[in-house]
Amino acid sequence: MFGFDVVSGTVAREVISESRKELIGIVRDAYLAHEGGDSVNPNSYFLRFPEKPSARIIALPAYLGGGYDVAGIKWIASFPENVEHNVPRASAVLLLNDYATGYPFACLEASQISAARTAASCVLGAAQLHGSSRAARIAVVGAGVIARNILDFFVADGWDIGRFALYDQVPGYADALVSYARETLATEAERTDSLESAVKGADLVVLATTAGTPYITDPHLFEPGQVVLNISLRDIAPEIILGAHNVVDDVDHCLTANTSVHLAEQSCGHRGFVDGTLAQVIEGKVRPGDGKPRVFSPFGLGVLDLAVGSFVYRNAVESGRTTGIDGFFAETERWQK
């Protein structure tokens, strides 16, 4: 009853690589459970450092019902300067708590889980807003770990893709992702020399950067009907957001922390520019039109980490890939007999 398991990042990566298409369905179900009120998802808490303005560690507590009945918290660090030393930007752990007793029962290395739920959300949003799983050209801006995972999930979901057009401010990063797409995923990919050349003519645009403030300011960059997956949340100027159809994962969560949609709210003083949530699109309650770009901005809900983390944990237990910590709890009875 009071066991405690650790799931390593290596195991999490193995389970995820075996199950990407299934995980998109799990993320979809978690969104619907959240939309239906079968969750508790408080605001994320940002720990920032005066001497490191670009760095942060975020706490995402949540509870997810919908057949999961699990609580937990993801503690994820984002230190962008790590990449200068060939160290990944993000590191994370996920703690899962039993809903009946409140006792934690597992700790998972969660950078893999966080990347997977982000990528699954992106591909799910792409399918819902694009209306099909076929794209002649997908532009990807930013060529880091999240972008690589997004490519993995597009391919695992069986998309018919003509080519990926990849752009990064550091050409070497884009070249590495091009090689990965061609050699590992067996899909066409090319590096572009500018943001504009990547985006022009693309059916879908994926923004997966570490930008802290908007740099996309050209109101004509995105075309009517073009689907923009605003994964990194802060790339787009508020004026462009106000001129687009906007779908978010959760209105209250997404319109915080100076995201592009939050800046848009501050600019206009209301939230009327938000069409609705992705769950409402899935349910057919919201359908953005073709006259403006369609922008999906997912803030990243803790309930998604719980859904994906619980899936990884169950699979790790069933396949004997967890590490049990005997005696983790020193006392499991209130009164000693």
Side-chain angles (χ1 to χ4, degrees):
M1 177 180 178
F2 295 102
F4 190 85
D5 292 316
V6 173
V7 179
S8 71
T10 300
V11 171
R13 183 170 56 212
E14 290 171 355
V15 173
I16 289 166
S17 67
E18 298 160 359
S19 315
R20 291 189 179 102
K21 188 173 181 65
E22 188 174 358
L23 287 172
I24 295 171
I26 285 171
V27 165
R28 179 184 185 276
D29 291 344
Y31 273 137
L32 292 175
H34 179 66
E35 185 73 20
D38 200 4
S39 67
V40 180
N41 204 112
N43 290 334
S44 302
Y45 183 83
F46 288 71
L47 175 63
R48 299 186 183 274
F49 310 94
E51 297 81 12
K52 293 175 174 282
S54 67
R56 62 188 186 271
I57 307 179
I58 312 171
L60 290 84
Y63 161 76
L64 179 61
Y68 288 92
D69 269 348
V70 64
I73 187 168
K74 181 176 73 173
W75 181 238
I76 181 166
S78 175
F79 280 53
E81 281 71 23
N82 284 357
V83 300
E84 299 173 7
H85 308 286
N86 197 30
V87 175
R89 171 187 60 85
S91 58
V93 293
L94 175 66
L95 196 65
L96 300 179
N97 293 72
D98 176 63
Y99 183 57
T101 66
Y103 271 67
F105 61 86
C107 180
L108 299 86
E109 195 282 329
S111 64
Q112 307 291 325
I113 290 166
S114 188
R117 65 86 149 139
T118 301
S121 174
C122 176
V123 174
L124 176 65
Q128 292 297 320
L129 295 182
H130 184 52
S132 77
S133 56
R134 176 178 295 179
R137 179 182 174 93
I138 298 178
V140 180
V141 181
V145 172
I146 295 298
R148 187 188 72 221
N149 276 268
I150 289 171
L151 265 62
D152 285 335
F153 272 78
F154 268 119
V155 172
D157 198 37
W159 277 64
D160 180 3
I161 300 167
R163 69 176 54 241
F164 288 104
L166 308 176
Y167 172 72
D168 195 287
Q169 287 184 322
V170 180
Y173 296 165
D175 287 335
L177 191 55
V178 166
S179 296
Y180 178 80
R182 291 174 177 173
E183 297 168 12
T184 302
L185 301 180
T187 188
E188 289 296 320
E190 63 181 359
R191 173 172 65 85
T192 68
D193 294 327
S194 69
L195 170 68
E196 293 75 15
S197 59
V199 171
K200 185 177 181 179
D203 301 288
L204 308 174
V205 178
V206 178
L207 301 176
T209 74
T210 58
T213 55
Y215 60 91
I216 298 176
T217 58
D218 180 357
H220 305 295
L221 180 64
F222 302 131
E223 302 167 5
Q226 195 173 45
V227 173
V228 181
L229 302 153
N230 184 26
I231 305 305
S232 38
L233 287 173
R234 296 172 177 85
D235 304 61
I236 307 172
E239 295 78 14
I240 298 176
I241 293 291
L242 292 173
H245 290 294
N246 290 283
V247 174
V248 300
D249 51 3
D250 180 287
V251 176
D252 288 335
H253 283 82
C254 201
L255 273 68
T256 57
N258 288 330
T259 63
S260 291
V261 286
H262 187 209
L263 294 176
E265 179 192 27
Q266 295 174 52
S267 174
C268 70
H270 62 81
R271 298 180 171 186
F273 59 90
V274 177
D275 292 48
T277 66
L278 183 61
Q280 290 170 335
V281 174
I282 294 170
E283 294 172 334
K285 297 177 181 178
V286 170
R287 179 52 58 188
D290 297 325
K292 298 183 286 187
R294 303 173 182 176
V295 180
F296 174 46
S297 300
F299 191 73
L301 302 176
V303 292
L304 302 186
D305 296 290
L306 293 184
V308 174
S310 295
F311 176 87
V312 169
Y313 171 73
R314 288 196 304 269
N315 276 265
V317 169
E318 291 168 1
S319 59
R321 288 182 280 181
T322 63
T323 301
I325 309 298
D326 294 333
F328 184 80
F329 297 104
E331 297 184 23
T332 57
E333 294 178 337
R334 187 178 180 205
W335 299 106
Q336 298 297 316
K337 296 178 181 178

